[in-house]
Amino acid sequence: EISEMSESSKQNVAHGLAWSYYVGYLKIVLPRVKKSMEEFTSNNPNLLACRKTWKLHILIPLSCDVYDDLEAADSNIRYLTDLTETTLARAGTKKRVYKHSLYAIRDEENELWHCAVEYATPLQSLYAMSQDECAAFSREERLEQAKLFYRTLEEILKDSKECAGTYRLIAYEEPGEAETHFLSREILWHLRQQHHEEFPVHEETPPPAPSTTLDSAELNLQISMSDLPQPLRSDGF
């Protein structure tokens, strides 16, 4: 029954995209993120004062609606600069460049928060497949694929020693009605949480999570955990 469900819902697509994203990109760039942040902070000491935010913030909209320009998605998000590039030879391409963009996020008090943020690019593939007759993805199937992509990626990264402490996954479901500054509020909530972790404020109750912020418990697809992809490692970890 599980096998038939997996085949009919094309779960191998989400699994494959998550592993490809990790092996072909995140495993390469994430271990270098903190060094890039350190180099940037040495010249701009006031912009990234909270070390907890020295991560790559990865946006995972479950709608798979990915903007190529974050400034177009939300006017409270402004491109600032690029962090130090990493140049490697990859798959026959010499001097392939990997880099991340730093953004300033404006909050309700006109204060600016700074972080490296980008979309999980495989979501563009899921969206394109849902628009292609050959792939035959319905909107509902695309949503399930996006959820499974997030859960799979989360499991992979949890087992990755190289990537520990270098990323923040921001999975969210957009509201039914368009909100001008929805995306900036999502990012700001995560930035504030990280500031709270580094500079604890003694309060009786922690700041509440926005209703749109999702965790893996909410993304439970009622699939046996044994059927999720396991790390391709043989060293016992």
Side-chain angles (χ1 to χ4, degrees), residues 45-222:
N46 297 323
L47 294 186
L48 292 170
C50 177
R51 295 181 67 92
K52 282 283 188 178
T53 63
W54 290 14
K55 302 172 183 177
L56 181 61
H57 296 76
I58 303 171
L59 302 175
I60 305 179
L62 298 184
S63 66
C64 297
D65 192 5
V66 173
Y67 285 82
D68 290 324
D69 185 352
L70 278 171
E71 293 176 309
D74 190 321
S75 60
N76 278 348
I77 302 175
R78 181 171 57 84
Y79 167 76
L80 193 62
T81 187
D82 289 330
L83 297 176
T84 306
E85 297 178 351
T86 295
T87 304
L88 300 171
R90 290 286 293 177
T93 301
K94 293 198 177 283
K95 298 182 180 180
R96 176 166 291 182
V97 175
Y98 298 88
K99 66 179 180 181
H100 310 292
S101 295
L102 193 71
Y103 287 87
I105 318 295
R106 187 178 301 278
D107 66 13
E108 301 83 357
E109 306 299 326
N110 272 339
E111 181 182 353
L112 294 179
W113 301 64
H114 301 88
C115 68
V117 58
E118 62 188 49
Y119 284 101
T121 53
L123 295 179
Q124 288 181 311
S125 298
L126 282 178
Y127 187 85
M129 290 177 70
S130 70
Q131 304 299 306
D132 193 307
E133 292 182 0
C134 295
F137 267 2
S138 68
R139 184 175 180 178
E140 291 74 20
E141 286 174 326
R142 186 181 70 201
L143 175 61
E144 295 306 305
Q145 290 291 314
K147 290 179 180 180
L148 188 55
F149 171 83
Y150 167 70
R151 290 187 60 211
T152 305
L153 184 62
E154 184 182 46
E155 290 297 319
I156 294 170
L157 288 171
K158 279 182 179 179
D159 288 326
S160 174
K161 294 180 180 179
E162 302 97 323
C163 299
T166 64
Y167 66 92
R168 180 97 172 189
L169 300 182
I170 304 179
Y172 59 90
E173 191 162 11
E174 295 172 330
E177 297 182 2
E179 294 184 22
T180 307
H181 301 303
F182 168 80
L183 184 56
S184 59
R185 287 201 302 270
E186 286 292 312
I187 299 171
L188 284 167
W189 185 84
H190 283 268
L191 293 177
R192 285 169 175 148
Q193 285 292 96
Q194 292 169 91
H195 274 256
H196 187 79
E197 292 167 6
E198 180 159 332
F199 307 109
V201 178
H202 298 289
E203 299 176 348
E204 293 184 2
T205 56
S211 59
T212 52
T213 298
L214 306 174
D215 57 30
S216 57
E218 294 176 274
L219 300 181
N220 188 352
L221 303 182
Q222 297 184 343

